[in-house]
Every structure is written in C-alpha cells, then in structure tokens.
Amino acid sequence: MILGDGIIDVQENGTKVVLESGKVLDSELIILSIGVRPENKLAADSGLELGERGGIKVNEYLQTSDESIYAMGDAIEVTDYINGQPTMIALAWPANRQAHIVGHHINGRNIAYPGTLGTSIVKVFDLTAATTGNSEKLLRRLGIPYEAVHIHPLSHAGYYPGAEQISLKVIFDIETGKIFGAQAVGKDGVDKRIDVIATAIKGGLSVYDLQELELAYAPPFSSAKDPVNMAGYVASNIVDGTIETVQYYEVDELLQDGAFMIDVRTEKEHADGKIEGSKNIPLDDLRNRLDELPKDETILITCQVGLRGYLASRILQQNGFKVKNLTGGYKTYSIFKNKLQ
C-alpha cells in the first residue's frame, strides 16, 4: 500500500504508473476502484435541490424539488432500504425499477419507491463476490448495534464433484434477528445465496426464518442444509443466547490482555497453522481434559470454521464454564491476518 501519493499518469500501454512524487511503478494489471460522482450539472444549473454528495434529491415518486421534473438512476440520492438514511447507490436494477415507477406516476398511478437495498455482485478472475444490505463498516459509522456471523460451507454436497467453499457473512440485530445485510465470496453458488438473503430482507424475514427456507436440494446444487439455512441456525443461536461469539478482529487484543483460548482442532491441524497463544485440546479429548481449563474466566474457543467450536462451547457450558466461540473459526481469522500482512 502506498499512501499519500496519488496517480498522475499511466504510460506505455498501462505498464508504467507515474505517482505524484515522481516515482514510476511497473504494472501488469491496473484496476481503478475510485468511486463515482453524479453527473448533476444540468440539475444544479436548473436550481434543483442536491444532496450532501451531489445526488439529485427526489421524493418517493422520483420527483425532484420541482415536481414537474423527475430524476432517476445513478445521479439521484435514494433512501437506504435498511437504515433509512440518504445514500447514493449506482446500480442497474434500481435504475430500471425507478424508470418503471416514473412511467406509471406520469400516467396517474402512484407506486412509491421504498429505497435501495444495494444488492450487487462482481466476478474477479475465478472468484465471485456479492453483497446485499448494509456492511459492518456502515453500521458502525451510523452507530447501529449489530452482530455478525461467518460460515464457510461448501457450495453443494461435498461428495459430489466440484464442490467449492463459500465464505458467507450475515449481519443482523442481536435483539430481534432482523437481517441487516450479507456478503459472500467463492467460486460457485455465491449469487444464489445472496439473492435468497436479499429476498428475505425484502420480505421482512429474520435469521430465524432463514432456518425455515425450503430451498431446492440435490447433491449437484446444494446440501440438505443450504448455506443460507446454516447461517440462520448460527445467527439464531446468538439471538437466543444459546452461545456467545467473538470476532476475528478482537482475538489478538484479548489474548494480549491475558485471555485463555483453546483450539479444538486435531493436533495436525493446530501444527499446520494456529492462533498464537491458543492451547490445543482436540474436541474428542475435551471431556477428559476439563481440569486443564479455568473456571474463573471466559474461555475463547476456535476450530477451523466454527462448527467444532460450537460443539465445544455447548460441552463446556454444560460443565459450568463461560465461553465464547470464534465465529468463522481459524479460517476467518487467518484470512484477516493474511490481509494485514
């Protein structure tokens, strides 16, 4: 990462990048990800009201501050469907829907636009990344309390060829189970999981309802518990108070402050990669090694993706221990650490 030194030029068919400092970087691939600004000159020159980021302000029928003028698409300011705040979301589906609404309103039929959810997807080489609703970063900025779960299921039954791992995060209200958003990354099956969750949000469903969704299953397409169902089970356990979790970005500081963590994976898994400071007690040995654990403090638990950690949490809770399971397990933590490094 090069901070505080912007790009001023790209030369030699994209193989040279010139920075403001005069430094020249060699490049094989350039990806510009610098955001967008609304083309609002006509609106501004016409005296129409603009939002804080320059988006054209509209009402629920897409009328501007001059009710005889409509605006739609990337240049308008919309309402965030989740948090109700003004925002700008430049996507094709909202623009098409807005055009439909404007056409009807001009002809006397009042269909209100409820806001934009922001469901989007991108293909990056062999990976697909998709999102819907609000992110953790946005919710933190707005001061909205939330909880998040991470799971890493396969795109379809593991015994059927071609199964690929999906990393799926669901963000929700810990009090009500209301779904705030979701993100997923993987090689296969990402699109349909995010689409299902986007539909669930629009339908007012909670994380409890994700457990109940009866989705199409055959080994080439999914598992008997679809990843969306699995996310619902994990999130519902938190809302119910069945289990408490700790996030990947909290672990290092907790361990530095003296927290006690056990890794319930096998000895080989632990040797291949571990969270520094964790004590390895394989899940199958846990009941026989309870005397090695402190009862006067909260025990942090990790496994590979969270499932064995959940089982260990239930065993320890039933034996009088206070525990928190690392959501997403070592898989999520290691991705985070590699990103930082």
Side-chain angles (χ1 to χ4, degrees):
M1 297 181 68
I2 300 174
L3 305 178
D5 194 0
I7 296 174
I8 60 171
D9 197 11
V10 177
Q11 300 175 348
E12 297 184 26
N13 295 320
T15 61
K16 302 288 184 183
V17 178
V18 183
L19 304 184
E20 292 174 347
S21 63
K23 185 176 181 179
V24 179
L25 305 177
D26 293 325
S27 171
E28 293 182 348
L29 176 66
I30 298 173
I31 300 174
L32 292 178
S33 187
I34 55 177
V36 296
R37 292 183 191 171
E39 174 48 81
N40 61 11
K41 186 176 185 305
L42 178 61
D45 291 346
S46 301
L48 300 181
E49 188 177 356
L50 304 178
E52 189 174 304
R53 293 173 55 192
I56 304 167
K57 280 184 171 289
V58 294
N59 64 13
E60 60 186 340
Y61 302 113
L62 289 311
Q63 292 170 296
T64 66
S65 52
D66 182 333
E67 64 178 21
S68 63
I69 300 175
Y70 294 82
M72 68 199 87
D74 296 354
I76 70 169
E77 182 180 86
V78 296
T79 299
D80 186 299
Y81 186 82
I82 298 293
N83 59 58
Q85 299 295 312
T87 188
M88 292 192 63
I89 300 177
L91 293 168
W93 186 91
N96 276 271
R97 179 60 182 164
Q98 291 155 16
H100 177 88
I101 289 171
V102 167
H104 276 284
H105 195 262
I106 289 172
N107 284 280
R109 185 182 176 196
N110 295 338
I111 303 174
Y113 185 67
T116 302
L117 187 55
T119 306
S120 58
I121 192 166
V122 63
K123 181 173 174 59
V124 183
F125 303 111
D126 292 334
L127 287 175
T128 299
T131 181
T132 188
N134 285 180
S135 66
E136 287 191 76
K137 182 178 179 181
L138 177 57
L139 292 170
R140 279 198 298 267
R141 181 164 61 81
L142 295 176
I144 298 175
Y146 70 90
E147 186 57 75
V149 295
H150 303 77
I151 63 172
H152 301 278
L154 294 176
S155 57
H156 61 251
Y159 57 82
Y160 190 89
E164 298 283 356
Q165 193 168 61
I166 297 172
S167 293
L168 173 63
K169 175 166 70 174
V170 176
I171 308 165
F172 56 96
D173 186 328
I174 195 171
E175 299 294 331
T176 66
K178 175 184 176 180
I179 306 167
F180 290 142
Q183 295 104 46
V185 179
K187 290 185 177 181
D188 179 55
V190 165
D191 54 338
K192 71 176 180 178
R193 272 68 191 215
I194 290 297
D195 283 345
V196 167
I197 295 174
T199 304
I201 293 174
K202 280 284 190 173
L205 304 186
S206 71
V207 294
Y208 291 105
D209 297 306
L210 296 185
Q211 302 173 86
E212 299 291 344
L213 294 178
E214 190 174 338
L215 304 173
Y217 162 62
F221 306 104
S222 184
S223 298
K225 287 199 297 286
D226 188 85
V228 173
N229 299 136
M230 293 171 64
Y233 283 117
V234 176
S236 297
N237 283 334
I238 296 174
V239 178
D240 285 340
T242 302
I243 192 170
E244 292 185 51
T245 57
V246 62
Q247 295 291 334
Y248 62 89
Y249 49 78
E250 300 174 309
V251 169
D252 287 348
E253 185 174 347
L254 289 170
L255 290 175
Q256 288 171 8
D257 291 341
F260 186 88
M261 170 175 269
I262 60 171
D263 186 331
V264 297
R265 297 177 298 163
T266 65
E267 292 181 3
K268 183 180 184 306
E269 287 176 296
H270 189 257
D272 288 342
K274 63 183 181 295
I275 298 175
E276 292 300 327
S278 62
K279 178 182 178 67
N280 183 218
I281 303 180
L283 180 62
D284 291 345
D285 300 338
L286 186 58
R287 286 186 174 89
N288 299 322
R289 297 175 62 177
L290 297 179
D291 59 345
E292 300 178 30
L293 305 177
K295 277 207 168 184
D296 58 349
E297 62 179 288
T298 298
I299 299 171
L300 308 182
I301 303 174
T302 184
C303 62
Q304 184 63 19
V305 296
L307 175 57
R308 282 173 287 177
Y310 167 76
L311 298 176
S313 297
R314 300 298 290 148
I315 291 171
L316 294 183
Q317 286 172 325
Q318 291 162 10
N319 281 276
F321 293 91
K322 183 173 176 57
V323 299
K324 288 187 177 182
N325 186 29
L326 174 59
T327 178
Y330 180 72
K331 172 82 173 178
T332 298
Y333 175 86
S334 63
I335 293 171
F336 169 69
K337 291 297 289 186
N338 288 336
K339 177 182 175 183
L340 288 182
Q341 294 168 0

